[in-house]
Amino acid sequence: QVQVVESGGGLVQAGGSLRLSCAVSGSISSINHMGWYRQAPGKQRELVAGITRAGSTNYADAVKGRFTISRDNAKNTASLQMNSLKPEDTAVYYCNAEVLVHSSFTYRDYSGQGTQVTVYS
């Protein structure tokens, strides 16, 4: 019913930038919170940045001042602008959306397959 697709990952040198995109499609009535998570090898998945439908944002301490999350409510999309990338940012990045589907009364979380970000020094 709902598909979440991330794109924009890649290989980048330390200090460089990448922009990740997330598109949510399907039988959508509304999207509440959207967030970007990442999971590095051998580590737990962690929240990188989140944004409410109203535009309030929150960031992990490790990315504050370097990453910026944004969204377009009309297009059901979100983006993550990543600047001053570091090798420790290397991970698979996932987009999560809290979605209310048509004919439902409760929001559910949906995530995509992820996109790989690799930062080399």
Side-chain angles (χ1 to χ4, degrees):
Q1 278 185 312
V2 175
Q3 298 79 43
V4 179
V5 179
E6 304 97 338
S7 61
L11 182 65
V12 64
Q13 191 171 18
S17 299
L18 283 174
R19 186 176 181 86
L20 305 183
S21 297
C22 171
V24 185
S25 61
S27 183
I28 300 168
S29 180
S30 177
I31 300 176
N32 191 14
H33 184 271
M34 298 186 77
W36 286 96
Y37 293 74
R38 68 185 181 187
Q39 187 166 20
K43 294 187 177 182
Q44 289 189 331
R45 189 174 297 193
E46 61 177 356
L47 175 66
V48 175
I51 185 168
T52 67
R53 184 172 181 82
S56 295
T57 59
N58 64 288
Y59 297 91
D61 288 343
V63 306
K64 282 180 180 177
R66 300 189 296 122
F67 291 10
T68 303
I69 188 171
S70 59
R71 66 186 285 175
D72 185 327
N73 291 331
K75 297 181 179 179
N76 294 330
T77 60
S79 296
L80 184 69
Q81 177 66 41
M82 305 185 297
N83 299 327
S84 302
L85 283 162
K86 304 175 181 180
E88 50 263 44
D89 294 319
T90 295
V92 178
Y93 284 70
Y94 300 89
C95 176
N96 185 83
E98 192 178 21
V99 180
L100 179 68
V101 300
H102 291 307
S103 74
S104 177
F105 299 99
T106 57
Y107 284 86
R108 283 185 56 192
D109 286 319
Y110 294 86
S111 291
Q113 294 298 309
T115 184
Q116 176 70 47
V117 171
T118 303
V119 184
Y120 64 94
S121 57

